[in-house]
Structure formats: C-alpha cells, structure tokens
Amino acid sequence: MLGSKNMTEKDWNNLLDTALPDVEKEMEASPFDTKLSFNMADDARKVINGKLNIKDFHKKYHSKLMREFGEEVGQDFASGADDDSTATDGVKWGMVIDLRKCVGCDTCTVSCKAENRTPPGISYNVVLEQEIGDFPNVAKVNLPRPCMQCEKPSCVQVCPTRATFKLDNGIVTIDNDRCIGCRYCIVACPYGARSFDFGESYEDEMLGYNDVTSPEYGIERGERKPGKTPIGTVRKCNFCLHRLERGEEPACVETCVGDARFFGDLNDPNSTVSKLSKSPRAFRLKSDLGNGPNVIYLK
C-alpha cells in the first residue's frame, strides 16, 4: 500500500523545494542590494558547515553592510562578535511531526492563521501535498512545514539589524520594531518559512479584522495600520511563543486532527519529543545543510 513510508528523505526534500519562494523575485521588490543578499546567504551556509569562520564572515561584510544600511547595522557586525553559540542547558523547544498520521486536513494552517492573525498571503504553517504512484495505485502524501527553528539559523546570520535572533529556548524569533524588511533572511532560509508583510488586510471580508493585532506584535498596539503596528517587515512562525509563556502548546499542535504533532523539550530525555527524535523513522529536512532543525519528522 502506497503512502508516506514509500518516500525517501530525498523525496521529502524535493517536495519542499517545490514550495520555496522565488528569492530573486522577492528581492526585486526590495530596495536593498540583491547581490549582497545572495552572497551573504551563500557564505552563511559556509559558516554553518564550518567552511568559513564567523569572525571572517563579519569582517568580510561589515563595511558592505555599513554602506548599504548605515546606522541600522547591528552591533554584532560592528564588533565582530561570535553569534554562532548555541545554548545547551535549560529548555529547548522542539516539534515532531508524524507524516504517517498527517491526513492533510489543513487544520494546522487554519488554526495558525486564526491564532496569529496573519494577513492575506502569509501562513506560518502550510501543508505541501504530492501524489505518488501510478494509476490506479496512487496515494497522496502530506508535508506540514512550519519554521524549523534551526539550531544554526542562516536567517540570523544574514540579518543586518539583528532583528532576527535565537532565544535560549531554541526558538528563532523577530523583533519587528528592528526589522527593516530587507528580506535578506528570506533569501537565506532554505525552508521557505519566512514571508514579507505588505500590509494587506482581511478587513473587506471580515469586519473588525484590523481592530486586534497579532500576539507577537503586542495586543496593546490596537488596530493594524502603518505607524501603530509593524508593516513592511518579515514574519514567521515562532512556535506560538505567546502561548508557551502561558503554559500552552502551539495552536497547530493543540488542534491537529490526526494527532500527528508532538511538542516539548528536546533536552528532556524523558519527553515524548526527545524519545521520538531518536526513532529510526526520524529525519530532518535538508539535514546536509547543517542548520540543525528542531522540527523533526517521522517517515
């Protein structure tokens, strides 16, 4: 019987590739240097793979970033600080997704949009689909794709303002007040997990949509409009950090119809996610890149 167990890691990676953004097109809409974004993304991957020293990376790009972004450039580039360290103590949040259990219902996508109030065209959780086999022996496989919350995030490496950063608990998040929307992180992310917020709205379809902003922006900011809420910045999944702070699970995990998602502390050897991550069925998307995703799949 055909199904996800017939897919190899290469097959899953190829499915992911079909949904990656056209980064050249993304940068066409950016006022910033496209060539610089591509060069930084390539070198960020070399840093992650140990082929380029982090301090040499900063030295190579500091003056170029200063010319392009001026005073917006984060102090890490100015000082040449080593930002490649990873926390090993305390909680490290991770997610395990069982691809044999995912039924492709898109509940994760819908609940994520409702929870995070994402605008049109932006979904932190998407489910990629593919038909495998030959008629009449065919089957549909599903690949849910949130942000991977990488151990070594290339998006953090290239962010000139240091608006993108990794918390001690392993979550990669964005300070939208510091983000200038250059989209260098979109170029660098190998998983297509970032989106640019053009300021579009569901107001025409949903009365009052703009009255409350997304939790990551702070509900006290009020209605969604330029000057009050960050628009023209990049957005991404952060494992529903606001829910974690209340002791709750991410919305996609709580609402998963097929019970395909598991969430917890990867540093806790007794946690479900820690045990599942060691399963012979476990794998990480694009593991050869060295990003070290904290979203693990069971094939």
Side-chain angles (χ1 to χ4, degrees):
M1 183 176 178
L2 290 175
S4 61
K5 64 182 179 180
N6 299 98
M7 298 277 284
T8 65
E9 290 183 33
K10 182 178 179 180
D11 291 331
W12 291 115
N13 287 332
N14 289 339
L15 176 53
L16 173 65
D17 286 340
T18 65
L20 294 180
D22 183 340
V23 290
E24 290 188 6
K25 187 176 180 180
E26 287 279 351
M27 289 306 299
E28 284 178 3
S30 170
F32 299 103
D33 189 337
T34 297
K35 184 178 179 180
L36 179 59
S37 73
F38 279 72
N39 289 342
M40 288 187 70
D42 288 341
D43 280 341
R45 296 185 182 105
K46 293 178 183 177
V47 171
I48 288 169
N49 282 318
K51 297 178 181 178
L52 179 65
N53 183 275
I54 181 67
K55 288 183 170 56
D56 291 335
F57 176 87
H58 286 304
K59 183 178 179 180
K60 180 176 180 179
Y61 289 106
H62 176 239
S63 61
K64 296 177 182 178
L65 291 173
M66 290 298 292
R67 285 196 298 269
E68 185 69 17
F69 300 99
E71 294 181 358
E72 298 283 1
V73 176
Q75 288 302 307
D76 287 349
F77 276 107
S79 64
D82 185 349
D83 60 351
D84 194 39
S85 60
T86 56
T88 56
D89 298 326
V91 172
K92 183 171 76 172
W93 295 118
M95 185 180 295
V96 175
I97 302 177
D98 191 335
L99 297 172
R100 296 187 190 179
K101 287 185 175 182
C102 178
V103 297
C105 64
D106 289 312
T107 300
C108 54
T109 304
V110 175
S111 63
C112 176
K113 284 194 73 70
E115 178 69 32
N116 293 289
R117 303 186 68 85
T118 56
I122 296 183
S123 294
Y124 297 162
N125 265 280
V126 296
V127 181
L128 310 178
E129 299 178 350
Q130 180 175 301
E131 190 176 273
I132 61 173
D134 299 308
F135 184 82
N137 300 310
V138 296
K140 187 182 77 170
V141 294
N142 309 293
L143 178 65
R145 192 237 58 206
C147 171
M148 298 293 116
Q149 314 296 348
C150 298
E151 197 71 28
K152 296 181 178 180
S154 47
C155 57
V156 171
Q157 191 68 58
V158 303
C159 180
T161 66
R162 288 304 186 242
T164 289
F165 59 99
K166 191 175 79 169
L167 300 173
D168 288 340
N169 59 20
I171 294 176
V172 178
T173 190
I174 302 173
D175 181 343
N176 288 91
D177 289 317
R178 296 180 65 182
C179 178
I180 58 175
C182 69
R183 301 174 230 204
Y184 281 29
C185 59
I186 294 178
V187 175
C189 175
Y191 301 101
R194 290 171 163 260
S195 303
F196 185 80
D197 187 345
F198 287 95
E200 296 177 352
S201 170
Y202 287 111
E203 188 65 53
D204 292 340
E205 296 87 4
M206 189 185 306
L207 187 64
Y209 168 79
N210 287 339
D211 292 346
V212 180
T213 56
S214 61
E216 69 215 77
Y217 290 167
I219 199 168
E220 72 280 355
R221 297 192 189 210
E223 61 182 317
R224 172 180 163 83
K225 65 179 183 180
K228 293 194 68 174
T229 54
I231 288 174
T233 63
V234 174
R235 300 178 61 159
K236 64 177 284 294
C237 156
N238 62 8
F239 276 168
C240 285
L241 183 59
H242 60 286
R243 290 176 61 91
L244 299 182
E245 291 172 346
R246 300 197 300 256
E248 301 170 354
E249 291 183 317
C252 62
V253 176
E254 185 175 278
T255 59
C256 181
V257 172
D259 195 26
R261 296 194 181 213
F262 304 87
F263 186 81
D265 181 7
L266 289 170
N267 278 345
D268 178 2
N270 295 315
S271 70
T272 300
V273 290
S274 180
K275 292 177 181 178
L276 288 176
S277 70
K278 297 176 177 62
S279 164
R281 294 170 53 203
F283 74 99
R284 289 170 167 83
L285 288 172
K286 300 196 173 186
S287 58
D288 58 309
L289 296 181
N291 289 68
N294 285 320
V295 173
I296 299 122
Y297 294 88
L298 302 179
K299 58 185 176 181

